[in-house]
Structure formats: structure tokens, C-alpha cells
Amino acid sequence: MYNYLLFLHITSAVTAIVSVVGYPLIMSGVRSTEQAKFGLTLLEKLAILPKLGGTLMFLTGLALGYEQTYLFRQLWYWIAIALFAVIVVIMAVLIPARIKQQRAILEPIQSGALPDAYRRSRRHSLLLEAVANVAVVISILLMVFKPV
């Protein structure tokens, strides 16, 4: 059973991580209003991945802890759960709110250069995405090396 849970845990983690890593990659090439609107549409479609993958990852992580109860006494396990919470808040709450704000800024503009208000909002999103990416890397390191 443990191996099946571990497989599901890793698969769901990959699913969730794709969007965390993908968000800044998609938006890095945006140079015009049309591109930004398209990029934001892609991000909205990708938003399902951290929700589904993250939920399954969390549940399988807890199930792994239930299977191997010593995990609940490991500091790295609790740090990984805390980092997961940070990632969820960023990817499921803060980033979607920023996407809505950016859409609202771009809505009245048909084409042309990106307005300064959008650029400021995008920089803030990029900072949040960077924090989420760092948290993902640390989580992966914790789960691979399992420091005591």
C-alpha cells in the first residue's frame, strides 16, 4: 500500500509543481496587451493543477504519515507541510486575486503597450511566484533527503 500511496504522492506533486513553475515561464514573454490577456487566460486554465494536484498530494502525504507513523515525529515532515500551506495560499488565493486584478487593468485596453499599473501588479505576482518556487524546491529537498 505504501508504494501505491508514494506513487500517487509523487504524481500529484509533479502535477501541482508544473503550474508553480509554469506561471512565471508563461508570463515572461509577454510584451503587449494581447499577449498579456492570452497569458492570463492560460494561467486561469492552469489554476486547476495546483488545486487538484495539491489536494491529492496533501491527502496522500497524510496517508503516508498514517502508514509510517514515525513521520509525524520528523521535523522535516512538519516543515514540508508548512511549506505546502505557503504554496497553497500563494497559488490558490494570492495569485488568482492578482490575475483578476491584472485582467481588470487590461480589460479596457484593446491593444498596444502594457500599462504601468499592469507592470506593477505583474512584478508583485512574479515575487509571489518566486516565493512559491523556492518553497517547492525546499520541499523537494526535504522529501528527497529527509534530514533528521
Side-chain angles (χ1 to χ4, degrees):
M1 183 65 160
Y2 183 83
N3 287 334
Y4 294 117
L5 285 172
L6 186 60
F7 174 77
L8 277 174
H9 187 69
I10 292 169
T11 304
S12 59
V14 169
T15 302
I17 289 169
V18 164
S19 61
V20 175
V21 173
Y23 276 35
L25 292 175
I26 289 171
M27 297 307 288
S28 67
V30 168
R31 303 288 178 259
S32 68
T33 303
E34 297 89 2
Q35 291 174 346
K37 287 179 180 179
F38 181 71
L40 292 172
T41 300
L42 287 177
L43 294 186
E44 287 173 335
K45 290 184 184 296
L46 268 179
I48 192 72
L49 294 177
K51 292 174 186 168
L52 289 176
T55 301
L56 186 57
M57 183 176 64
F58 182 70
L59 293 174
T60 56
L62 289 178
L64 288 167
Y66 179 74
E67 286 273 322
Q68 305 287 323
T69 56
Y70 77 92
L71 288 173
F72 290 114
R73 295 184 301 276
Q74 300 291 312
L75 180 61
W76 70 265
Y77 185 79
W78 290 107
I79 292 172
I81 290 172
L83 287 171
F84 173 78
V86 168
I87 296 166
V88 166
V89 168
I90 290 172
M91 298 306 293
V93 178
L94 299 176
I95 295 290
R98 283 284 165 181
I99 290 172
K100 285 181 185 176
Q101 179 188 36
Q102 291 165 14
R103 263 201 183 287
I105 291 168
L106 295 175
E107 200 60 41
I109 302 168
Q110 293 303 316
S111 63
L114 296 166
D116 287 335
Y118 169 81
R119 290 181 190 277
R120 281 190 301 277
S121 180
R122 181 66 204 130
R123 273 195 296 276
H124 189 263
S125 291
L126 188 58
L127 176 64
L128 292 170
E129 291 161 3
V131 170
N133 274 293
V134 168
V136 163
V137 169
I138 294 169
S139 294
I140 291 170
L141 290 173
L142 287 171
M143 287 182 226
V144 169
F145 296 109
K146 297 174 180 59
V148 178

